[in-house]
């Protein structure tokens, strides 16, 4: 079984709809992240969480919200989807050891907003 | 994060060593050099990281220059499955901080 899973893997929605992307991990890591990737570009950080009670905005948080329901679960919501949120979304967890951090990524969710 | 500079693309013959360079001339003393790769829209995959010393694992070797201003990722015997975008990142992660910025990387094409 995969250590970091994302659901759904693909999603088509319409402008103005609310949608939720879910991420689960079995690695036991405290830190979790949401990124988006646009074609030909690197990953950009949306939100991150260092533990269940800690949520932080990343580089591009506008239009998104998150919920850390448990250590293993971190959900990303688009309150009112717009076409420029069409992208590939990745969840990640990280193994943090004082000053070093290794990230483990899920398979991604491909989102199309019409 | 220190800024890193990588060539946009490289080719490598199958079975040969792939040497991917990265410049990080403004790296600070506590920043590690990380390498990740992304195979065709899959989730990025951690490869290796290091601070000062050269590192080797089952996937690759990392050579860091003595002044730490540049590094090279070496895939000793490249296969077609190594075709991917490779990201070099210079970063420090503290107890209350997060810094892991993915740039555009190097697209490595392994040629049969």
């Amino acid at each position: 079984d995969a250590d970091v899973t994302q659901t759904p893997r693909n999603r088509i929605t319409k402008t103005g709809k609310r949608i939720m992307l879910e991420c689960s991990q079995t690695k036991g890591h405290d830190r979790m992240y949401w990124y988006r990737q646009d074609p030909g570009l690197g990953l950009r950080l949306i939100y991150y969480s260092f533990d269940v009670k800690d949520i932080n905005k990343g580089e591009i948080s506008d239009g998104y919200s998150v919920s850390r329901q448990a250590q293993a679960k971190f959900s990303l919501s688009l309150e009112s989807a717009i076409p420029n949120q069409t992208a590939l979304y990745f969840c990640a967890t990280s193994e943090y050891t004082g000053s070093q951090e290794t990230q483990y990524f899920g398979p991604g969710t491909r989102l199309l907003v019409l | 994060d220190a800024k890193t500079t990588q060539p946009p693309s490289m080719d490598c013959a199958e079975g040969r060593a792939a040497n991917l360079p990265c410049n990080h001339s403004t790296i600070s003393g506590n920043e590690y050099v990380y390498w990740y790769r992304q195979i065709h829209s899959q989730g990025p995959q951690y490869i290796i990281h290091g601070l000062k010393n050269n590192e080797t694992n089952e996937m690759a070797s990392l050579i860091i220059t003595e002044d730490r201003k540049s590094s090279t990722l070496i895939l000793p015997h490249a296969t077609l499955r190594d075709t991917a975008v490779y990201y070099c990142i210079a970063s420090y992660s503290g107890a209350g901080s997060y810094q892991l910025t993915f740039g555009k990387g190097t697209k490595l094409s392994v040629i049969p």
Side-chain angles (χ1 to χ4, degrees), chain B residues 44-110:
Chain B
Q45 176 189 25
Y46 165 79
I47 302 173
I48 198 168
H49 75 285
L51 183 63
K52 297 179 181 178
N53 300 323
N54 298 337
E55 302 288 342
T56 295
N57 63 19
E58 64 279 4
M59 291 183 67
S61 294
L62 173 60
I63 308 299
I64 303 174
T65 58
E66 191 170 346
D67 62 7
R68 301 208 328 120
K69 292 185 177 182
S70 65
S71 61
T72 301
L73 178 74
I74 301 171
L75 308 178
H77 305 286
T79 70
L80 299 179
R81 296 178 192 173
D82 292 322
T83 292
V85 177
Y86 288 77
Y87 297 98
C88 169
I89 302 165
S91 176
Y92 171 79
S93 295
S97 68
Y98 160 81
Q99 294 180 10
L100 199 67
T101 303
F102 289 80
K104 294 186 178 182
T106 295
K107 181 174 173 57
L108 175 69
S109 298
V110 180

Side-chain angles (χ1 to χ4, degrees), chain A residues 91-109:
Chain A
C91 173
T93 73
S94 75
E95 182 175 20
Y96 169 69
T97 57
S99 59
Q100 307 166 56
E101 184 164 357
T102 301
Q103 295 206 353
Y104 300 88
F105 287 80
T109 294

Side-chain angles (χ1 to χ4, degrees), chain A residues 56-101:
Chain A
N56 302 281
K57 293 183 177 180
E59 178 187 354
I60 52 163
S61 59
D62 287 349
Y64 302 95
S65 63
V66 291
S67 173
R68 184 79 184 269
Q69 301 95 322
Q71 185 201 40
K73 296 185 182 296
F74 193 35
S75 300
L76 176 72
S77 294
L78 285 68
E79 297 300 327
S80 179
I82 56 177
N84 76 2
Q85 291 178 313
T86 292
L88 188 53
Y89 290 84
F90 291 106
C91 173
T93 73
S94 75
E95 182 175 20
Y96 169 69
T97 57
S99 59
Q100 307 166 56
E101 184 164 357

